[in-house]
Amino acid sequence: PSRSSRRSAAWRMASAHLANARGILFMMRNDWASATPLFDQALEDGARLGLTRVTLLARINLGAIAFLSKDLDLALDYFEGAMRSARRAGDPALESIARSNRGQALAQLGRKDEAIEELRAVLVLARAGKRRDIIAYAGACLSELLAERSEEHTSELQSHSFISYAVFCLKKKK
């Protein structure tokens, strides 16, 4: 490839990464209307250029906006797409983020048993991906869901080693 075509390809890749980064900045300011088209652009450009990580992050971010907008079915679609892509890419860290978010959406939809199973899987993945933040967050969510269950299931909460680790991580963050 010529020098100009390499430069052009590098520019397109940087542009896809930049769209995601700019979208995150808008999302942090709760400006979802400005963030959404940037994530859409990152998703489209990332898919066209074969940038798996860019598309994964764009899906997770679009899912987060849908979740915060209370469009939980759309959020699930984005999170499930991100999960599948992360699994194919062999990225347990990003898969754990997508699955953690999916677990939260399932819980909000009242599908508590599915949410519990999802969050349990997240704890294993997050450990493999060395994501202590996700372990802490998913562990706290899981403990809350388990506490809502009937008394016969609460003993499971007390013996769950991941929950102890999650509490340790949360305390360490403070």
Side-chain angles (χ1 to χ4, degrees), residues 35-53:
T36 300
L38 290 166
F39 293 138
D40 285 335
Q41 177 190 345
L43 183 61
E44 182 181 315
D45 292 348
R48 188 170 23 83
L49 297 169
L51 302 172
T52 304
R53 190 166 181 83

Side-chain angles (χ1 to χ4, degrees), residues 15-166:
S15 195
H17 284 283
L18 183 60
N20 241 344
R22 289 181 58 217
I24 289 169
L25 291 174
F26 282 111
M27 198 165 115
M28 290 173 67
R29 289 188 274 174
N30 294 327
D31 184 356
W32 303 332
S34 298
T36 300
L38 290 166
F39 293 138
D40 285 335
Q41 177 190 345
L43 183 61
E44 182 181 315
D45 292 348
R48 188 170 23 83
L49 297 169
L51 302 172
T52 304
R53 190 166 181 83
V54 170
T55 59
L56 278 167
L57 292 171
R59 280 190 180 109
I60 289 170
N61 292 326
L62 285 165
I65 290 173
F67 180 86
L68 294 168
S69 301
K70 305 291 188 227
D71 190 347
L72 299 176
D73 290 323
L74 180 59
L76 282 176
D77 288 344
Y78 280 121
F79 296 145
E80 288 166 1
M83 275 173 30
R84 285 189 301 273
S85 295
R87 196 174 303 127
R88 279 194 305 272
D91 190 332
L94 284 178
E95 185 179 353
S96 70
I97 294 169
R99 290 186 82 160
S100 177
N101 291 344
R102 182 176 183 271
Q104 288 299 299
L106 289 168
Q108 289 294 313
L109 285 167
R111 295 163 54 183
K112 307 260 186 207
D113 288 339
E114 288 177 78
I116 288 169
E117 293 309 309
E118 192 66 39
L119 291 168
R120 283 185 177 139
V122 167
L123 294 174
V124 173
L125 280 168
R127 243 181 152 174
K130 296 178 175 46
R131 290 299 306 254
R132 290 190 312 187
D133 58 329
I134 300 300
I135 293 168
Y137 184 72
C141 296
L142 180 60
S143 66
E144 190 175 310
L145 287 170
L146 289 172
E148 291 174 9
R149 276 188 165 180
S150 65
E151 286 299 315
E152 69 185 66
H153 297 291
T154 58
S155 63
E156 179 181 11
L157 171 64
Q158 290 147 2
S159 66
H160 205 289
S161 63
F162 285 118
I163 302 302
S164 300
Y165 185 65

